[in-house]
Amino acid sequence: MYSRRAMSLTDQSYPPSLPSPWRPLGNRNFRNLLIADLVSDIGAFMQSVGAAWLMTSLTDSPLYIALIQTAAALPFFLLALPAGTIGDIVDRRKLILVTEVWMCVIAAVLAIATLAGVMTPWLLLLLTFALSAGDAVEAPAWRATFPDLVDKQELPAALVLNGVEFNLARAVGPGLAGLIVSVLARSWRHIRPEYVLFFGGDCCRC
């Protein structure tokens, strides 16, 4: 009786163990792209804080300052579906490269206009919208490349890691920006904090 019970227990099939959630990081291409995306997202959140800080030096209107966040978020609402369709039609690698070049050009225009002293509230809103538009078009194509980078079994873990990366950047970026503002405001008062945030964020994004 005991032998039969032991045999039934040994013959019982168990579900396979789940793969490690860190396993996709063993893929060099995925790891490098995830790190690059983390740096870029941190720069994006720093640039967003810098844009809002810069707007306070251009105008005293709270409406313009609030519109900075609208200009940064609106492209994701308007372009989510078209960007997904474009990502399914064209070469995703080329689309990502084009959007990265677009965002670098917009970041350069932002930097030049700010240093030249020709920045206006409406120009800042327009360029912020254009910068976020590039990010909104790139995002679906970037996530659609995951099946080409990792195995099918690692895909759920890769998507989770991408979510962790974004939330980490969302926590670190504004916090780092606030730290820079605090340090510069107290120690180097002749340096404009918004310039450092603006250019530091743009460099991270590029």
Side-chain angles (χ1 to χ4, degrees):
M1 177 178 179
Y2 291 104
S3 61
R4 290 181 180 178
R5 183 177 299 176
M7 290 178 62
S8 63
L9 291 175
T10 55
D11 293 341
Q12 185 178 359
S13 60
Y14 294 94
S17 59
L18 295 176
S20 170
W22 309 106
R23 185 175 175 181
L25 295 178
N27 186 306
R28 186 182 65 177
N29 291 333
F30 176 79
R31 182 176 65 250
N32 291 341
L33 285 175
L34 192 68
I35 293 173
D37 204 35
L38 175 62
V39 175
S40 176
D41 285 341
I42 290 176
F45 285 108
M46 289 179 62
Q47 191 272 339
S48 179
V49 174
W53 196 276
L54 178 60
M55 185 64 83
T56 61
S57 67
L58 298 175
T59 178
D60 294 330
S61 172
L63 177 61
Y64 279 107
I65 299 172
L67 284 175
I68 283 292
Q69 293 301 320
T70 303
L74 189 59
F76 290 91
F77 175 76
L78 297 177
L79 300 177
L81 292 178
T85 303
I86 294 173
D88 290 334
I89 296 175
V90 304
D91 188 331
R92 296 189 185 104
R93 180 177 176 273
K94 293 181 179 179
L95 178 61
I96 292 174
L97 290 175
V98 168
T99 53
E100 286 294 333
V101 171
W102 166 264
M103 288 188 287
C104 284
V105 170
I106 298 299
V109 173
L110 279 166
I112 294 172
T114 303
L115 287 176
V118 297
M119 183 64 73
T120 63
W122 278 109
L123 180 59
L124 180 56
L125 289 174
L126 178 62
L127 294 176
T128 300
F129 181 89
L131 192 62
S132 292
D135 201 6
V137 173
E138 180 198 41
W142 154 244
R143 290 176 177 84
T145 59
F146 285 5
D148 299 329
L149 297 174
V150 299
D151 296 334
K152 184 178 180 180
Q153 296 79 5
E154 299 175 354
L155 186 57
L159 294 174
V160 170
L161 287 173
N162 182 69
V164 170
E165 171 272 316
F166 180 79
N167 286 293
L168 180 62
R170 184 163 57 180
V172 172
L176 184 59
L179 179 62
I180 292 174
V181 170
S182 176
V183 171
L184 292 179
R186 288 185 298 178
S187 303
W188 294 285
R189 297 184 180 180
H190 61 284
I191 300 178
R192 300 287 294 273
E194 63 269 23
Y195 288 5
V196 176
L197 293 179
F198 222 49
F199 303 145
D202 291 343
C203 289
C204 288
R205 297 196 71 157
C206 292

